[in-house]
Amino acid sequence: MTQTITSEDGTTLAVDTIGRGAPVILVGGAFNDRSTVAALAAELAPAFTVLTYDRRGRGASDDRSEDYQVANEVADLAAVIAHAGGRASVFGHSSGAVLVLEAAGRGLPIDRVAVYEPPYHADEDQPRPAADIYDRLRELVAAGDRDGATELFLREAVGVPAGAVAGMKAGEGWAFMADKAPSLPYDVLVTAPWQGRPHERVAGVGVPVLAVYGDQTSPGLAKATEAVAAALPGAELRVMPGEDHAVLQRPAALARILTEFFA
């Protein structure tokens, strides 16, 4: 069932609800909308009421912010939690994982937080994106160059080699990714790779946390996930064999882990 709700600044968010039970909200990362977490929602639906939503500027959600701040997306998640009944557990993937940890740290009524490979900068041996990447992305988006913004984000924020990006541009999924380009500057501000280490950024989180990564993922994402678990007393760390950052395409095993944690 799809409904629309209104966030604090008047932004309209599209929300899907499936299942029955305690509420769980799923939050996707860059290039994601509610369709990319729908398969995971279906896996969780026998045990929970699962809510998925298009983050602002994506899919069927609009964006009323004149000057985007991370607080805008925290307010969006607060609106979804209110729609769910006032409290919920949350799961975030990639930049969505950083967003839900930020929201928990700011005191939203969240019971439990599960994250998959939050892209904090925890490996000092890995290069950081250039400090002007946010401004360059905004310029490309303002010029209507969605392909250019998508390529810039993949090359510099994610670290995808040029040859691999060229192959992606020739694939069927490129149009879906480029459609999300206007929201890529938001993902950069959410992850903020120029900010402090993960233990400093998650210090305010006071609810139970599960941090998960796949053993086939990049070393930087593995270290970031480990750093989150190490920074929070009592946090649980799980490593999924055979999985990488694309775990949402194969949600069954992840759903079993989340069902155990959220239950």
Side-chain angles (χ1 to χ4, degrees):
M1 181 175 62
T2 302
Q3 296 177 289
T4 57
I5 64 173
T6 304
S7 189
E8 185 177 63
D9 68 351
T11 292
T12 299
L13 306 171
V15 183
D16 284 350
T17 305
I18 185 175
R20 181 176 297 177
V24 171
I25 299 169
L26 309 182
V27 185
F31 301 118
N32 282 234
D33 59 19
R34 70 190 194 278
S35 72
T36 57
V37 291
L40 178 59
E43 293 281 350
L44 293 170
F48 306 100
T49 297
V50 187
L51 296 91
T52 60
Y53 70 103
D54 288 335
R55 289 170 58 187
R56 65 173 54 212
R58 314 177 192 207
S61 295
D62 61 20
D63 182 8
R64 301 295 177 88
S65 58
E66 296 182 1
D67 182 20
Y68 172 87
Q69 303 292 326
V70 175
N72 296 133
E73 288 216 73
V74 173
D76 294 347
L77 181 53
V80 179
I81 293 172
H83 179 67
R87 297 197 66 86
S89 293
V90 295
F91 164 78
H93 175 269
S94 195
S95 70
V98 178
L99 177 59
V100 301
L101 287 167
E102 181 75 20
R106 295 191 188 201
L108 264 62
I110 293 171
D111 294 321
R112 287 175 167 255
V113 174
V115 295
Y116 190 90
E117 299 186 359
Y120 293 113
H121 189 89
D123 186 351
E124 295 302 326
D125 294 330
Q126 297 289 326
R128 295 177 186 263
D132 65 348
I133 185 173
Y134 172 73
D135 292 330
R136 286 185 289 142
L137 278 170
R138 287 195 63 184
E139 290 171 2
L140 289 169
V141 169
D145 187 359
R146 297 191 177 198
D147 287 344
T150 301
E151 184 168 358
L152 173 60
F153 186 88
L154 289 170
R155 292 279 291 118
E156 297 191 23
V158 182
V160 180
V165 172
M168 295 169 72
K169 291 180 75 172
E172 295 181 354
W174 184 262
F176 180 86
M177 297 173 67
D179 180 65
K180 310 298 178 294
S183 63
L184 294 177
Y186 302 171
D187 287 296
V188 169
L189 283 191
V190 168
T191 57
W194 51 82
Q195 285 189 6
R197 296 180 180 180
H199 71 273
E200 299 167 340
R201 298 185 60 185
V202 303
V205 178
V207 299
V209 171
L210 168 68
V212 187
Y213 70 90
D215 66 2
Q216 300 301 304
T217 199
S218 69
L221 288 172
K223 285 192 174 182
T225 310
E226 291 171 346
V228 168
L232 295 169
E236 181 182 353
L237 178 68
R238 295 285 294 270
V239 182
M240 296 185 65
E243 288 296 346
D244 57 20
H245 205 56
V247 71
L248 294 178
Q249 299 175 18
R250 304 170 296 275
L254 177 60
R256 289 192 292 271
I257 293 172
L258 295 180
T259 297
E260 178 184 344
F261 176 68
F262 287 138

